Amino acid sequence: MSEIGTMRVKSGLAEMLKGGVIMDVTTAEQAKIAEDAGACAVMALERVPADIRAQGGVARMADPTKIREIQAAVTIPVMAKARIGHFAEAQILQALEVDYIDESEVLTPADEEHHIDKWNFTVPFVCGCRNLGEALRRIAEGAAMIRTKGEAGTGDIVNAVRHMRAVYGGIRRLGSLCEEELYAEAKNLGAPVELVKWVAENGKLPVVTFTAGGIATPADASLCMQLGADGVFVGSGIFKSDDPAPRAKAIVEATTHYQDPEVLARVSQGLGEAMASISTAGLDESQLLETRGW
Amino acid sequence: MTEPLRIGVLAVQGNFREHLSVLRRLGVEASEVRKPDQLDGLDGLIIPGGESTAIGKLVRAYELEPAIRGFEGAIFGTCAGMILLAREAVDGVPDQPFFGLIDIVVRRNAYGRQVRSFETDLELAGEAKPLRAVFIRAPWIESAGPAVEILARYDDRPVLAREGRILVAAFHPELTDDTRVHELFCEVAREAASVRT
């Protein structure tokens, strides 16, 4: 019997994206540049996070016209963002046949308590997290891929590193606990005990885990991969930089050859200015995107 | 005792880690291939699933194209890997390298976008037990030359095929616990090795 939308089919696409770079694009032309640079997927959106941050207001799902233009321009998978809890936006994105939905803190949340019940969808979802508990709650809701959040639109990698350390350190810690301690730990994490046990036993999350938020250079991409990421999302880092095409290519190469400092040195040279960046240490609590999500 | 097979998995992008772990379960000496010299001394190579456009570009950028063309061992391509090994794609993109190592023409994303990805049971030639197969934005084989042996079909389309030392699958045997397709590839690699020596 043939079945669509099974967890194996949903997480299977994320498996194919591993070792790759997923790039934020706002036009068909940018999508082409991303594909030519070797991106494994693109994220179609109205404004990149740096612009959302600068312009403020309410950030929503992209216009379907834009998503269709981007789908027509490339053959790699096209992802799109829905607001946290906005299942109607997600239904629209599924009708458009996007390949993955990112239920994203970069957009303005639509629900202050609930995320989308992702089991109701055939299309797979990727969700952000800052720590292991958040990751496991999203997986319990049906997320088929996880990305650590970082702080989008800043070009500062420090939050991404903090979140990866929290997730991977949390996984290693679970492995050191005995069975009875896992019940209390599940309570601390705010996550289902079955998932906590699975992670303790297998030493990894049950779905592919990428890193996002603040990646601006090939060295940033290599750092994330060395810390344990399966791949990277680059948002503003490419198309808000001086010269997007060579930087896009360089970040792809750095993600593949993340363990090879000679390749990294070669691809890091002469890329021009990185995106205009903001140190997240100077951001007010109210300016942070990473705290969105429950 | 026979020496263990040595099989590399192209690791520029995609699902290489799962192939490596299946191979290791089968007792194969498995290694990652990112650079041309890592092909030296291998009995076989797996080109995994991933994004064929991305893998194709990376293969070219890292000068792996001539090395793979010159490789004499067995090669197994799954999904994106099958596309790269084909003669051509009916909806081919310019600039995509096709190795033409197996006489098939493929259609990329033949079943549609991700919402149409699926899993199903396939009948394998000569096997009583069906094979669970996961198709992710998968290609199919549009046409095959006379020398190509079709080993499984889905909806009348060939999805598993062999020509000499080359094996291709439109689906992902590395995503299930059934190791029969990898075992078949190990046989192909042993045969190819015995022909060469």
Side-chain angles (χ1 to χ4, degrees), chain B residues 155-167:
Chain B
D155 256 3
D156 284 342
R157 297 281 180 186
V159 292
L160 179 67
R162 176 185 176 180
E163 183 181 354
R165 65 185 177 98
I166 310 291
L167 181 69

Side-chain angles (χ1 to χ4, degrees), chain A residues 3 6 16 18 97 260, chain B residues 13 18 35 116 119 132:
Chain A
E3 293 175 276
T6 62
M16 300 313 140
K18 281 184 312 205
E97 298 196 352
D260 190 334
Chain B
Q13 192 268 315
E18 281 61 28
K35 294 177 170 175
R116 310 199 187 276
E119 51 180 287
R132 195 68 180 167

Side-chain angles (χ1 to χ4, degrees), chain A:
Chain A
M1 198 185 81
S2 295
E3 293 175 276
I4 56 167
T6 62
M7 198 48 170
R8 190 149 61 182
V9 165
K10 288 174 166 180
S11 60
L13 178 55
E15 300 284 350
M16 300 313 140
L17 302 176
K18 281 184 312 205
V21 182
I22 300 169
M23 300 182 190
D24 276 5
V25 297
T26 58
T27 63
E29 192 196 356
Q30 288 183 353
K32 244 356 252 177
I33 293 172
E35 183 175 63
D36 287 343
C40 65
V42 291
M43 177 76 69
L45 69 179
E46 200 80 40
R47 296 180 283 170
V48 293
D51 289 334
I52 292 174
R53 186 176 285 288
Q55 294 161 9
V58 174
R60 307 180 176 91
M61 171 189 86
D63 185 326
T65 314
K66 179 152 283 174
I67 293 170
R68 288 212 160 99
E69 281 169 14
I70 290 168
Q71 284 175 321
V74 295
T75 62
I76 54 178
V78 175
M79 303 184 167
K81 287 184 193 287
R83 285 179 264 178
I84 289 173
H86 207 314
F87 51 84
E89 283 189 346
Q91 288 160 354
I92 293 168
L93 293 174
Q94 175 162 283
L96 292 169
E97 298 196 352
V98 303
D99 294 296
Y100 242 91
I101 295 176
D102 183 0
E103 187 182 19
S104 176
E105 71 284 356
V106 168
L107 305 185
T108 312
D111 191 317
E112 292 171 325
E113 220 171 323
H114 310 99
H115 282 252
I116 297 169
D117 180 357
K118 294 165 273 285
W119 296 110
N120 286 334
F121 290 80
T122 306
V123 63
F125 281 75
V126 54
C127 288
C129 75
R130 284 171 299 165
N131 50 50
L132 184 55
E134 217 175 336
L136 295 178
R137 285 195 291 282
R138 298 296 85 81
I139 294 167
E141 294 156 4
M145 179 179 184
I146 288 292
R147 56 172 174 75
T148 52
K149 287 176 179 172
E151 187 56 30
T154 61
D156 189 346
I157 196 70
V158 69
N159 297 46
V161 170
R162 187 188 310 135
H163 300 160
M164 277 185 286
R165 293 255 183 224
V167 170
Y168 300 120
I171 292 171
R172 283 188 286 271
R173 204 182 104 70
L174 280 189
S176 71
L177 300 181
C178 69
E179 174 120 11
E180 65 210 45
E181 289 168 327
L182 290 175
Y183 294 98
E185 190 57 21
K187 193 175 129 198
N188 291 338
L189 290 170
V193 69
E194 295 73 26
L195 276 175
V196 170
K197 282 185 180 172
W198 193 95
V199 172
E201 210 167 294
N202 292 277
K204 58 175 189 177
L205 290 180
V207 300
V208 167
T209 309
F210 271 46
T211 298
I215 295 157
T217 67
D220 289 345
S222 165
L223 176 69
C224 295
M225 295 299 287
Q226 292 191 54
L227 284 172
D230 289 322
V232 298
F233 282 87
V234 186
S236 320
I238 289 167
F239 290 101
K240 297 306 269 184
S241 74
D242 260 7
D243 196 357
R247 183 168 295 265
K249 227 173 142 196
I251 291 177
V252 169
E253 230 176 300
T255 305
T256 300
H257 294 287
Y258 67 94
Q259 291 164 310
D260 190 334
E262 279 170 33
V263 173
L264 297 171
R266 177 172 55 75
V267 303
S268 296
Q269 60 196 4
L271 292 177
E273 279 292 308
M275 64 181 282
S277 305
I278 310 165
S279 164
T280 60
L283 286 178
D284 211 57
E285 178 77 27
S286 66
Q287 294 171 296
L288 292 175
L289 303 176
E290 64 159 61
T291 47
R292 298 164 165 183
W294 344 111

